[in-house]
Amino acid sequence: QPVPVHGRGPLVQCGCQHRAQATFVEGAGEDCPARVRILQRRLQELAELAKTISEENARGEHFDPPLDHNEIAFYDALANDPSALQEMTDDALAEIARELVKVLRNDARIDWTKREDVQAKLRAQVRRLLRWYKYPPDKQPAAIKLVIEQMEQLAPEMTTA
């Protein structure tokens, strides 16, 4: 007979004393060893995903001060070009990323993606920052485009009215 566990629904019990939650395991009608293998594979996938997420969250830790996830997004946009990575240090790219987050927090508004004047101001600020930190001039147009795309992705959580 089905046994409820912590409000998650009934468990399926098979003849060989193993139990697996029917809503989680595919093929609930298969024989028990097959269900156990499926469950083990799913748990392994979840463990690998948790490890990947943990590694991704720790990426900014080696910078001083550490980069948060927003700053890492801008760092990745700036470091997208291998020649820019060769010409600039990681610390310089990290500092530009910190400045870009400040620009977004201070100057972007809720409707900035619809207002050309605000977009132009942000592009000009990004351009000035890249020049200030001596980002390779031939790589600036592509970097500006990627940075603006990152701003569009991050803006909903960071903008104010």
Side-chain angles (χ1 to χ4, degrees):
Q1 102 189 34
V3 180
V5 176
H6 305 289
R8 291 186 165 189
L11 294 177
V12 176
Q13 189 167 10
C14 65
C16 68
Q17 311 298 323
H18 295 282
R19 296 187 304 178
Q21 189 168 353
T23 57
F24 183 69
V25 179
E26 294 175 4
E30 297 175 13
D31 64 317
C32 185
R35 285 187 288 170
V36 169
R37 283 191 301 277
I38 291 169
L39 182 58
Q40 287 171 336
R41 190 170 53 244
R42 296 288 182 255
L43 291 173
Q44 180 64 32
E45 290 170 1
L46 288 172
E48 290 171 11
L49 179 62
K51 181 181 176 189
T52 302
I53 290 171
S54 177
E55 290 169 356
E56 184 67 26
N57 286 339
R59 279 186 56 216
E61 297 295 320
H62 75 277
F63 293 100
D64 187 30
L67 297 178
D68 66 20
H69 72 281
N70 294 322
E71 293 164 341
I72 285 287
F74 286 116
Y75 175 88
D76 289 344
L78 295 168
N80 190 48
D81 190 292
S83 65
L85 276 174
Q86 291 173 352
E87 295 181 38
M88 300 192 72
T89 66
D90 282 345
D91 290 333
L93 292 172
E95 190 57 36
I96 296 171
R98 287 185 192 96
E99 293 294 326
L100 289 169
V101 169
K102 288 179 190 173
V103 165
L104 183 58
R105 284 192 176 124
N106 293 335
D107 297 327
R109 301 289 177 251
I110 288 175
D111 63 345
W112 77 273
T113 57
K114 296 178 180 118
R115 293 186 47 196
E116 187 58 38
D117 60 324
V118 178
Q119 290 177 23
K121 180 181 175 185
L122 287 171
R123 278 192 301 272
Q125 288 179 306
V126 170
R127 196 174 300 115
R128 276 192 296 271
L129 267 173
L130 294 179
R131 266 192 252 135
W132 175 262
Y133 285 96
K134 298 176 177 49
Y135 194 85
D138 60 321
K139 306 301 178 191
Q140 286 183 14
I144 291 169
K145 183 178 184 294
L146 279 174
V147 165
I148 295 297
E149 288 173 6
Q150 283 292 16
M151 286 183 168
E152 289 172 354
Q153 294 295 316
L154 298 175
E157 70 182 68
M158 296 176 61
T159 55
T160 58

